[in-house]
Structure formats: structure tokens, C-alpha cells
Amino acid sequence: MKILMYGDFNFSGGPFDGATTKTRNIYEVLKERYDDVDYFNIEGWRKNPFKKIFELKKYTKHTDVIVFIPGARNGTYFAINYLTKLKHKKNVKLYYFIAGSLLPIYLKDKPKYIKKIKQIDAIFCETNGLIHELKEFGIENLYLSCTFDLRGECDFSPKKQEKENEYRFCSFSRVNREKGLGISIDAINHINNLGKIKIFYDIYGKLDENFKEEMEQKISNSNGQIRYLGLIPDENVISTLSKYDANIFATFFKGECLPATVIESLKACTPVIISDWKYNREVIEHDKEGFVFGNSTDDLIKMIMEKCSQSNPFENMRYNCYLKSKKYSRDECLKDLFKLIG
């Protein structure tokens, strides 16, 4: 049996997005588990689509199973259209892993693809909320497969607050407005200006150029307590996150589903202060693995001030994060795929 992993592997370099990380992770697991596994890299298909189609025909000539993670909107339409045609011609099994939560929007824009989606053997969604939305289109071939991470995890160890009323927070995601960095920076600046508690806030991730000037202006008002520190080397992500009291994730990105930064924080035993957006409550339970706040700067300020006035507010949450992280192991997240492939 020959298996093909179809997706954007980003061999050209640069920071990965969620789809690339998921593509690479699933491919690595498939290689370990099965003997005959190959990949097809869709990176750069917009520049030369006909060349990519020609290459794809060669790669799928003797394939029995295709596991695929298409790109954005047009890449999704192309993959669904081409691969379902291939399924009927060659009777290959198609297993579609969705990255993000935009597929319902795509299907509303082009409902003709609903019929094609139903022809796919299995569709793997990151959250139950997304499964519910897709069922409203009459799609039933749906499985839950959460985001997972192949990095090592931290061994749990208690972490005491070093100084009373002083905390170290971080953010680790794409650094832009939609991921909530404007909200979190404004909130931390406001809280520090009040003088009741002191927060040091480090920001990691790929900086969007259209947010750079705004971010730098906001950070300039922080008296050195907010820093942008760039990218974290892949092998250091978990150990770096584990040093912080909490990870702030104030996202309002429309394509958010199950953010990798949340899974990485759980593996690092680092609680998450997260916006009440999309499916975030599926992974972070309020007052258990972190705090869930409304989608505004004022809501975040109120939440941090309320919780950080308590003694060691994050201490017990670290163990809860450790326990929750077990749910996001690769074997647990891919168990249904393994059953289907055999």
C-alpha cells in the first residue's frame, strides 16, 4: 500500500503556519508507521500551476491513499476538485485534514463543492465546534483529530511565584493585529501604569510588517517591560514557554480553530489567558488551564487585575495543563486515521 502526503511543506524556509506544521507532523508520523510513504509539496503552485498538476499526476499514478491538507481558499477548491476526480478514476482513499476553520466559509461561497466534499472518505477536524458547523451542510464523514505537536514535553514541576505582585507573561504566535497583540500590549501597558502589579511581557513570533510600526509605538510606552524577541528556535519552544507564568492569546482571527500555541503551552505546563473566540473554550477551561476573557482590552485588563490580585493564581493550573496535554498526543489525535488506513 502506497500513501501520499499532500500539502505545503515550506521547503523554501521561513516561519511555518499551522497548515505547514500539521503537514510535516502527520508526514513524519506516517513515515514511522508505514513502509511506503511519499509526499507531494504544493508550495509555489500559484506560480506554475500547470507544472504542479503534471507533477501531481506522476506522484498519484500508483497511490492507494492520499492524506491531504490543501492551502488557502483557491488551493482548497483545487485539491477537492482534482482529488475527488482522481478517486473515481483510480479508487484511491482520500483523507482530508482541515487546518483552521475557514472551510464552512468556502462552502457558503461555492456550495457546489459540498457534493464533492461528501465524496471524500474521511474529513478530520480540529474541534467539535467545526464538526457541528460542517454537519449543517449535510456532511457526515467527519472525525475529530486535534492539533498535536511532536516536540518533547516538560516534566511537571511546581513553579512558585518569585516576587509578590510580579509576573512574567508571553505571547507566541504570528505577531499581528488579528492575533490580538494590540489588545494584549495595551492591556499590559495599562496594568503596569496602575502600579498595583508588575508584568513583564515577552512577545515571540513572525512579525507582520503592517503591524510593525504600531507595535513598536506601543512597546515604546512600556518602560522596557514589554519586549519583542523574534522567533524561538523550534527545539527551544517548549522549554522557553515553560519559563513564563502565562501565555496571553487574545486572538480574534476569523480562521482560528485549535491554535498550536495553546497546545505548546499545555505541553510546557504554562497556563493560557485566552480570548472567548471561536472554539477556544474547547481546549482551555476557565479557571482550570487558564483564564478566558471577553474580546476587548478592557476585558483582558479586568481579568488580569482580578486574578493576579490572588495569591499564586497560576500555581495549580500548571498541573492541569500537564494533564490536559496528554489529550493532544500524536497517537490520540491520529487514532482514527490509523484505523482507516489499517
Coordinates of all heavy atoms in Angstrom, one line a residue, residues 153-204:
E153 N 7.8 17.2 25.8 CA 7.0 18.0 26.7 C 7.8 18.1 28.0 O 8.8 17.5 28.2 CB 5.7 17.2 27.1 CG 5.9 15.9 27.7 CD 4.6 15.2 27.9 OE1 3.6 15.4 27.1 OE2 4.5 14.3 28.8
C154 N 7.4 19.1 28.8 CA 8.1 19.3 30.1 C 7.6 18.3 31.1 O 6.5 17.9 31.2 CB 7.7 20.7 30.6 SG 8.5 22.0 29.8
D155 N 8.6 17.8 32.0 CA 8.2 17.1 33.1 C 7.6 18.1 34.1 O 8.2 19.1 34.4 CB 9.4 16.4 33.8 CG 9.9 15.2 32.9 OD1 9.0 14.6 32.2 OD2 11.1 15.0 32.9
F156 N 6.4 17.7 34.7 CA 5.8 18.7 35.6 C 6.6 18.9 36.8 O 7.1 18.0 37.4 CB 4.4 18.2 36.0 CG 3.8 19.1 37.0 CD1 3.3 20.3 36.7 CD2 3.8 18.7 38.4 CE1 2.7 21.1 37.7 CE2 3.2 19.5 39.3 CZ 2.7 20.7 39.0
S157 N 6.7 20.2 37.1 CA 7.3 20.6 38.4 C 6.7 21.9 38.9 O 6.4 22.8 38.1 CB 8.9 20.8 38.3 OG 9.1 21.9 37.3
P158 N 6.4 22.0 40.2 CA 5.7 23.2 40.7 C 6.5 24.4 40.4 O 7.7 24.4 40.4 CB 5.6 22.9 42.2 CG 5.7 21.4 42.3 CD 6.6 21.0 41.2
K159 N 5.8 25.5 40.2 CA 6.5 26.8 40.0 C 5.9 27.8 40.9 O 4.8 28.2 40.8 CB 6.4 27.2 38.5 CG 7.1 28.5 38.1 CD 7.0 28.8 36.6 CE 7.8 29.9 36.2 NZ 7.4 31.2 36.8
K160 N 6.7 28.3 41.8 CA 6.3 29.3 42.8 C 6.5 30.7 42.2 O 7.4 30.9 41.4 CB 7.1 29.2 44.1 CG 6.8 27.9 44.8 CD 5.5 27.8 45.4 CE 5.3 26.5 46.3 NZ 4.0 26.4 46.9
Q161 N 5.6 31.6 42.6 CA 5.7 33.0 42.2 C 7.0 33.6 42.9 O 7.1 33.5 44.1 CB 4.5 33.8 42.6 CG 4.4 35.2 42.0 CD 3.1 35.8 42.4 OE1 2.1 35.2 42.6 NE2 3.1 37.2 42.3
E162 N 7.9 34.1 42.1 CA 9.2 34.6 42.6 C 9.0 35.8 43.5 O 9.6 35.9 44.6 CB 10.2 34.8 41.5 CG 10.5 33.5 40.7 CD 11.5 33.8 39.6 OE1 11.9 35.0 39.4 OE2 11.9 32.8 38.9
K163 N 8.2 36.8 43.0 CA 8.0 38.0 43.8 C 6.5 38.3 43.8 O 5.8 38.2 42.8 CB 8.8 39.2 43.1 CG 10.3 39.1 43.2 CD 10.9 40.3 42.5 CE 12.4 40.2 42.6 NZ 13.1 41.4 41.9
E164 N 6.1 38.8 45.0 CA 4.7 39.1 45.1 C 4.3 40.2 44.2 O 5.0 41.2 44.0 CB 4.4 39.5 46.6 CG 2.9 39.7 46.9 CD 2.7 40.0 48.3 OE1 3.6 40.1 49.1 OE2 1.5 40.2 48.7
N165 N 3.1 40.0 43.5 CA 2.6 41.0 42.6 C 3.5 41.3 41.4 O 3.4 42.4 40.8 CB 2.3 42.3 43.3 CG 1.2 42.2 44.4 OD1 0.3 41.4 44.2 ND2 1.3 42.9 45.5
E166 N 4.3 40.3 41.0 CA 5.1 40.4 39.8 C 5.0 39.2 39.0 O 5.1 38.1 39.5 CB 6.6 40.7 40.2 CG 7.5 40.9 39.0 CD 8.9 41.4 39.4 OE1 9.0 42.4 40.2 OE2 9.9 40.7 39.1
Y167 N 4.8 39.3 37.7 CA 4.5 38.2 36.8 C 5.3 38.3 35.5 O 5.6 39.4 35.1 CB 3.0 38.1 36.5 CG 2.1 37.9 37.7 CD1 1.6 39.0 38.4 CD2 1.9 36.7 38.2 CE1 0.9 38.9 39.6 CE2 1.1 36.5 39.3 CZ 0.6 37.6 40.0 OH -0.2 37.4 41.1
R168 N 5.5 37.2 34.9 CA 6.1 37.1 33.6 C 5.2 36.4 32.6 O 4.8 35.3 32.8 CB 7.4 36.3 33.6 CG 8.5 37.0 34.4 CD 9.8 36.2 34.3 NE 10.3 36.4 32.9 CZ 11.1 35.5 32.3 NH1 11.4 34.3 32.9 NH2 11.5 35.7 31.1
F169 N 4.7 37.2 31.6 CA 3.8 36.7 30.6 C 4.5 36.7 29.2 O 5.5 37.4 29.0 CB 2.5 37.6 30.5 CG 1.6 37.5 31.7 CD1 0.6 38.5 31.8 CD2 1.8 36.5 32.7 CE1 -0.2 38.5 32.9 CE2 0.9 36.5 33.8 CZ -0.1 37.5 33.9
C170 N 3.9 35.9 28.3 CA 4.5 35.9 27.0 C 3.3 35.7 26.0 O 2.2 35.4 26.3 CB 5.5 34.7 26.8 SG 4.7 33.1 26.8
S171 N 3.6 35.9 24.7 CA 2.8 35.5 23.6 C 3.6 34.9 22.5 O 4.8 35.3 22.3 CB 2.1 36.7 23.0 OG 1.0 37.2 23.8
F172 N 3.1 33.8 21.9 CA 3.9 33.1 20.9 C 2.9 32.7 19.8 O 2.1 31.8 19.8 CB 4.5 31.8 21.5 CG 5.2 31.0 20.5 CD1 6.1 31.5 19.6 CD2 5.0 29.6 20.4 CE1 6.8 30.7 18.7 CE2 5.6 28.8 19.5 CZ 6.6 29.3 18.7
S173 N 2.9 33.5 18.7 CA 2.0 33.3 17.5 C 2.5 34.3 16.4 O 3.5 34.9 16.6 CB 0.6 33.7 17.9 OG 0.5 35.0 18.2
R174 N 1.8 34.3 15.3 CA 2.1 35.4 14.4 C 1.8 36.7 15.1 O 0.8 36.8 15.8 CB 1.2 35.2 13.1 CG 1.5 34.0 12.3 CD 1.0 34.2 10.9 NE -0.4 34.6 10.8 CZ -1.4 33.7 10.8 NH1 -1.2 32.4 11.0 NH2 -2.7 34.1 10.7
V175 N 2.7 37.6 14.9 CA 2.6 38.9 15.6 C 1.8 39.9 14.7 O 2.4 40.5 13.8 CB 3.9 39.4 16.0 CG1 3.8 40.8 16.8 CG2 4.7 38.4 16.9
N176 N 0.5 40.0 14.9 CA -0.3 40.9 14.1 C -1.5 41.4 14.9 O -1.7 40.9 16.0 CB -0.7 40.3 12.7 CG -1.5 39.0 12.9 OD1 -2.2 38.9 13.8 ND2 -1.3 38.1 11.9
R177 N -2.3 42.2 14.3 CA -3.5 42.7 15.0 C -4.5 41.6 15.2 O -5.1 41.5 16.3 CB -4.1 43.8 14.1 CG -5.0 44.8 14.9 CD -5.4 46.0 14.0 NE -4.2 46.9 13.8 CZ -3.5 46.9 12.7 NH1 -3.9 46.2 11.6 NH2 -2.5 47.7 12.5
E178 N -4.7 40.7 14.2 CA -5.8 39.7 14.3 C -5.5 38.7 15.4 O -6.4 38.1 15.9 CB -6.0 39.0 13.0 CG -6.6 39.9 11.9 CD -5.6 40.9 11.3 OE1 -4.3 40.7 11.5 OE2 -6.0 41.9 10.7
K179 N -4.2 38.5 15.7 CA -3.9 37.5 16.8 C -3.9 38.2 18.1 O -3.6 37.6 19.2 CB -2.5 37.0 16.5 CG -2.4 36.0 15.3 CD -3.1 34.7 15.6 CE -3.0 33.7 14.4 NZ -3.5 32.4 14.7
G180 N -4.4 39.5 18.2 CA -4.7 40.1 19.4 C -3.5 40.8 20.1 O -3.6 41.2 21.3
L181 N -2.4 41.0 19.4 CA -1.2 41.6 20.0 C -1.5 43.1 20.4 O -0.9 43.5 21.4 CB 0.0 41.5 19.1 CG 0.8 40.2 19.3 CD1 1.3 40.0 20.7 CD2 0.0 39.0 18.9
G182 N -2.3 43.8 19.6 CA -2.6 45.2 20.0 C -3.4 45.2 21.3 O -3.1 46.0 22.2
I183 N -4.3 44.3 21.5 CA -5.1 44.2 22.7 C -4.2 43.9 23.9 O -4.3 44.5 25.0 CB -6.2 43.1 22.6 CG1 -7.3 43.6 21.6 CG2 -6.8 42.8 23.9 CD1 -8.3 42.5 21.2
S184 N -3.4 42.9 23.8 CA -2.6 42.4 24.9 C -1.5 43.5 25.3 O -1.3 43.7 26.5 CB -1.9 41.1 24.6 OG -1.1 41.1 23.5
I185 N -0.9 44.1 24.3 CA 0.1 45.1 24.7 C -0.6 46.3 25.4 O -0.1 46.8 26.4 CB 0.9 45.6 23.4 CG1 1.7 44.5 22.8 CG2 1.8 46.8 23.7 CD1 2.3 44.8 21.4
D186 N -1.7 46.8 24.9 CA -2.4 47.9 25.5 C -2.8 47.5 26.9 O -2.7 48.3 27.9 CB -3.6 48.3 24.7 CG -3.3 49.0 23.4 OD1 -2.2 49.5 23.3 OD2 -4.2 49.1 22.5
A187 N -3.3 46.3 27.1 CA -3.7 45.9 28.5 C -2.5 45.8 29.4 O -2.7 46.3 30.6 CB -4.3 44.5 28.4
I188 N -1.4 45.3 29.0 CA -0.2 45.2 29.9 C 0.3 46.6 30.2 O 0.6 46.9 31.4 CB 0.9 44.3 29.3 CG1 0.4 42.9 29.1 CG2 2.1 44.3 30.2 CD1 -0.2 42.2 30.3
N189 N 0.3 47.5 29.2 CA 0.8 48.9 29.5 C -0.2 49.5 30.5 O 0.3 50.2 31.5 CB 0.7 49.7 28.2 CG 2.1 49.6 27.5 OD1 3.1 49.4 28.1 ND2 2.0 49.8 26.1
H190 N -1.4 49.3 30.4 CA -2.4 50.0 31.3 C -2.2 49.4 32.7 O -2.2 50.2 33.7 CB -3.8 49.7 30.8 CG -4.9 50.3 31.7 ND1 -5.3 51.6 31.5 CD2 -5.6 49.8 32.7 CE1 -6.2 51.9 32.4 NE2 -6.4 50.8 33.1
I191 N -2.1 48.1 32.8 CA -2.0 47.5 34.2 C -0.7 47.9 34.8 O -0.7 48.3 36.0 CB -2.0 45.9 34.0 CG1 -3.4 45.5 33.6 CG2 -1.5 45.3 35.3 CD1 -3.5 44.0 33.1
N192 N 0.4 48.0 34.1 CA 1.7 48.4 34.7 C 1.6 49.9 35.1 O 2.2 50.3 36.1 CB 2.8 48.2 33.7 CG 3.3 46.8 33.6 OD1 3.1 46.0 34.6 ND2 3.8 46.3 32.5
N193 N 0.9 50.7 34.3 CA 0.8 52.1 34.7 C 0.0 52.3 36.0 O 0.1 53.3 36.7 CB 0.1 52.9 33.5 CG 1.1 53.1 32.4 OD1 2.3 53.0 32.5 ND2 0.5 53.3 31.2
L194 N -0.9 51.4 36.3 CA -1.7 51.5 37.5 C -0.8 51.3 38.7 O -1.1 51.8 39.8 CB -2.8 50.4 37.5 CG -4.0 50.6 36.5 CD1 -4.9 49.5 36.6 CD2 -4.7 52.0 36.8
G195 N 0.2 50.4 38.6 CA 1.2 50.3 39.6 C 0.9 49.3 40.7 O 1.7 49.1 41.7
K196 N -0.3 48.6 40.6 CA -0.7 47.6 41.7 C 0.1 46.3 41.5 O 0.4 45.6 42.5 CB -2.2 47.4 41.6 CG -2.9 48.7 42.0 CD -4.5 48.4 42.0 CE -5.2 49.7 42.4 NZ -6.7 49.5 42.4
I197 N 0.2 45.9 40.3 CA 1.0 44.7 40.0 C 2.0 45.0 38.8 O 1.8 46.0 38.1 CB 0.1 43.5 39.6 CG1 -0.7 43.8 38.3 CG2 -0.8 43.0 40.7 CD1 -1.5 42.6 37.8
K198 N 3.0 44.2 38.7 CA 4.1 44.5 37.7 C 4.1 43.3 36.8 O 4.3 42.1 37.2 CB 5.4 44.7 38.4 CG 6.5 45.2 37.5 CD 7.7 45.5 38.3 CE 8.8 46.2 37.5 NZ 10.0 46.5 38.3
I199 N 4.0 43.5 35.5 CA 4.1 42.4 34.5 C 5.2 42.7 33.5 O 5.3 43.8 32.9 CB 2.7 42.3 33.8 CG1 1.6 41.9 34.8 CG2 2.8 41.3 32.7 CD1 0.2 42.0 34.1
F200 N 6.0 41.7 33.3 CA 7.0 41.7 32.2 C 6.4 40.8 31.1 O 6.0 39.7 31.3 CB 8.3 41.1 32.7 CG 9.0 42.0 33.7 CD1 8.8 41.8 35.1 CD2 9.8 43.0 33.3 CE1 9.4 42.6 36.0 CE2 10.4 43.9 34.2 CZ 10.2 43.7 35.6
Y201 N 6.4 41.3 29.9 CA 5.7 40.7 28.8 C 6.6 40.5 27.6 O 7.0 41.5 27.0 CB 4.4 41.5 28.5 CG 3.6 41.0 27.3 CD1 3.3 39.6 27.1 CD2 3.0 41.9 26.4 CE1 2.5 39.2 26.1 CE2 2.2 41.5 25.4 CZ 1.9 40.1 25.2 OH 1.1 39.7 24.2
D202 N 6.9 39.3 27.2 CA 7.8 39.0 26.0 C 6.9 38.5 24.9 O 6.1 37.5 25.1 CB 8.8 38.0 26.4 CG 9.8 38.5 27.4 OD1 10.0 39.8 27.5 OD2 10.5 37.7 28.1
I203 N 7.2 39.0 23.7 CA 6.4 38.6 22.5 C 7.3 37.8 21.5 O 8.4 38.3 21.2 CB 5.8 39.9 21.8 CG1 4.9 40.6 22.8 CG2 5.1 39.5 20.5 CD1 4.5 42.0 22.3
Y204 N 6.9 36.7 21.1 CA 7.6 35.8 20.2 C 6.8 35.6 18.9 O 5.6 35.4 19.0 CB 8.0 34.5 20.8 CG 8.9 34.6 22.0 CD1 8.3 34.5 23.3 CD2 10.3 34.6 21.9 CE1 9.1 34.6 24.4 CE2 11.1 34.7 23.0 CZ 10.5 34.6 24.3 OH 11.3 34.7 25.4

